[in-house]
Every structure is written in structure tokens, then in C-alpha cells.
Amino acid sequence: MSTIEPQTAHSVINPKMTRVLSGMRPTGWLHLGHYHGVLENWVKLQHEYDCYFFVADWHALTTHYDNPQSLAAHTQDMVIDWLAAGVDPEKATLFVQSAMPEHAELHVLLSMGTPLSWLERIPTYKDQQAKLREKDLATYGFLGYPLLQAADILLYRAQLVPVGADQVSHVELTREVARRFNHLYGKPLDAETVQTQAYSNMGKKAAKQYQQWAKQYQQEGDTEALQQAQTLLAASGSLSALEREVLSGHLTGSGRVILPEPQALLTTASKMVGLDGEKMSKSYGNTISLRESPDAVRDKIRKMPTDPARVRRTDAGNPERCPVWNLHQVYSSLEVQQWVVTGCTTAGIGCLDCKQPVIDEINKILAPMRERARPFEEDTGQLNTILKQGAARARDTAQETLKEVRQSMGLIGRWSS
Ligand code: TRP
Ligand code: SF4
């Protein structure tokens, strides 16, 4: 039997209490692949949950420690694109990881009890090392990448973590780290004192009744007695939150949950194709960025390769062999798609005709984004204010967690200046 976390209990009633957290490494300008793959989802989530979205600039340094020049510009450009896409700083808490040294403190504290083998066996560790072979990634920081991510998540006690499939193993590690932490430190160092104090706060009669029920449950497995003991605890207004937790942990033999285990919220991979028919990706140079001008969108799509069989306007084609068709599947209504299939296979339309609805639709989506981005491009002061306010909000939550983490690890902070 596990006790229900107060947070969880609330979140069942009110999803706004459920915390969602996700980070993105600062890559600079974002493109339509990021929009359909990630940002569209963030924009939706921010209306439903208590969302924290942050720029993982320390994570960028784990692989690009030798090239920090572009970090600040990439951070800025990326956050402008979040805002352009409709992420709303009034609804979600937006911040930059490096503005929050709390992540580093939790990372170092978690590192104490994390076996090296847990990190070494994570698939991304070897995969990325092999992929980025030109870099020396036999570093301490790179091995610790997933643990830093665990700290990001646990610092805010996030329950849901939207990530792509490649990141699921990191959330899994986070759960293991949290479980181990709660096991090691979930029993307060001074549990005995707290318990004695709690009994005296409850009043003699209630304390005696409570202990009797507790014994009935612990020795005879009487679940009715357990329920009555729990009801009594919940109803006893004179107990502090800590006292209640200690007693309830003692009752069921479980410790306190200091760091709740999060769950991955799997984002289905975006099927966005790039201008060449490959997956849209900055490294392939086949992207349409979120702040692309209408003319650039038109020119890029007009230059897209089509079915190689359509050499002349009069040659019939096959949409299945044409990357433009992938875009129609994302952006066009069924009627337009029907028009494409008929027109292409009968040579009834030319490729430029075929591309026009896609150009129009993408520009329709990007128009409000360009609009929203403009004030931030002109005045980055506003952007900085948003990120500072986000950091302040995040700090309140982070400090609350850290206070408990420090205490439970015997760090009483008596000597800080
Ligand atoms: N590692 C993630 C990625 O590469 C980014 C990230 C860092 C993250 N910290 C996080 C995602 C915490 C979710 C939660 O995409
Ligand atoms: Fe591609 Fe459209 Fe040209 Fe057919 S008509 S080859 S689908 S661009």
C-alpha cells in the first residue's frame, strides 16, 4: 500500500496542479519540424497543466563545451521562437537552466548515490559518442548528462515530462534515482523526535487510539484499522505536514516521498519532411524556419524537387514519389489532396500549381509567428524580463525542494553566510 502524495491527490482533482516540465537544448532558430514535433504540443499543454519549459544550455555544453560562442544568441533566438509559436509566459514558466544554479546543486547531491553503471548503460551515452566521433566525449560532464536531466526534473517535482522516444531512457533513470533517493533519505534523521512530538500534538487519547490501530495493521494486517488510522491522521488538524508524513510513513513502512517519480509523456515523432524529402533537420540544410519570410517560403518550395518522372509539364507523375506530396499530407485538406492526385497523375496540373496551396498554407501558419516574434527581435530587453521572471518563479519551487533534500541528507545549512 502506498500513501498518496498530496500533490497527486490534488492533481487528480485539478490538472492545473500537475506539473509538466521539459527542456530543449539551445539550437538557435527553430523550424517547422520543431513546431509540429514539440512546440504545438507545448502550446496545448500550457492550457492544461502547470508547465515549466526551459533552455538546457548546460546540456548543450556537455557536447559543445569547445564552442560556447553561440550559446547566448542561440538561447535568445530559440526562446523568441517559443514565444512566436504561441508559448505564453503568462501561462507557462520559461527560464534558462544556467540562471538556476539549483540544478547544479541537486545534480551534485544526486551524483553521490548514483552508480556509474546506471549512467554507462544508457543507450544515448554510447550512441552519441559514436555519432559525434570527432568530439572527445569521454568526459565527466557527458557521462553525467542524464543525471543532470534527472536533476532538472526532480528539482521541480514534475509529474509529466514530454519527450521524444530517444529521451525515455533518461526519464527512466530519473525514476530510479528518485526511488533510490526516497529509500535512502525518506526517513527523517530525527524521525523519532518528530514522532514523539506528533503524538503529543495529537492529544493523549487520539495518540493512544492511533497507536492501537497502527499495531493492529502492522501485526495483524488489519486494513480496516489502517484506514481508520489514516482517517484519524488526516483529520488531526494539530499536526504539521512533516509530522503527518512521518507518522503515515511509519504506519505503512514506507518512507516519505521527497522526490516523486515522474512519467514520460511521449511525443510522437514529427513526420515533417524537409525540402529534399529527408527528415527536416538543420544539419541537412533542408528547413523552413518559423520566421522565414513569405518570399523565402515561396522560393524554397518552388525549388523543391518533384517526381523525377515529370520532366515536361505534359508528363504524368506519381505523388508517392514526390516530397511535395508529404507537405500536402500535413497541410492540405482532403479536397486539395484529391486535386493533387488527379492533377498529378493525369498531368492536369503543373508542379508549380501544385505547390501553391502548400506555400499559402505554410505562410498562413507563419504569419502570426512572425508578428509575435517582431517585438522581441526589436527589443531583447522584453525577452530578458520574461526569462528573469520565469527564473524567479522557478526558484521558489526549486528552493522548496532543495530545502527538503538538504535536510534529508544531513545538510543543515547552519554555516551559510
Ligand atoms: N535532453 C533533452 C533533449 O536533448 C533536453 C532536456 C534537458 C530535457 N533537460 C531536460 C528534456 C529535462 C526534458 C526534461 O532533448
Ligand atoms: Fe509533386 Fe505535385 Fe508535381 Fe505531382 S504535381 S510531381 S505531387 S509537385
Side-chain angles (χ1 to χ4, degrees), residues 7 39 58 102 108 114-115 137 202 205 225-226 235 275 278:
Q7 281 170 338
L39 292 175
W58 282 344
E102 286 85 350
V108 85
T114 302
L137 289 183
M202 277 168 100
K205 211 170 135 207
L226 169 66
L275 296 166
E278 299 296 319

Side-chain angles (χ1 to χ4, degrees), residues 21-25 54 56 59 97 145 148-149 152-153 161-163 166-167 170:
L21 173 132
S22 200
M24 209 188 270
R25 280 172 295 176
F54 73 97
H59 279 96
Q97 185 181 36
Y145 184 113
L148 179 57
Q149 187 162 346
D152 298 338
I153 297 167
V161 184
V163 284
D166 62 319
Q167 298 288 310
H170 296 179

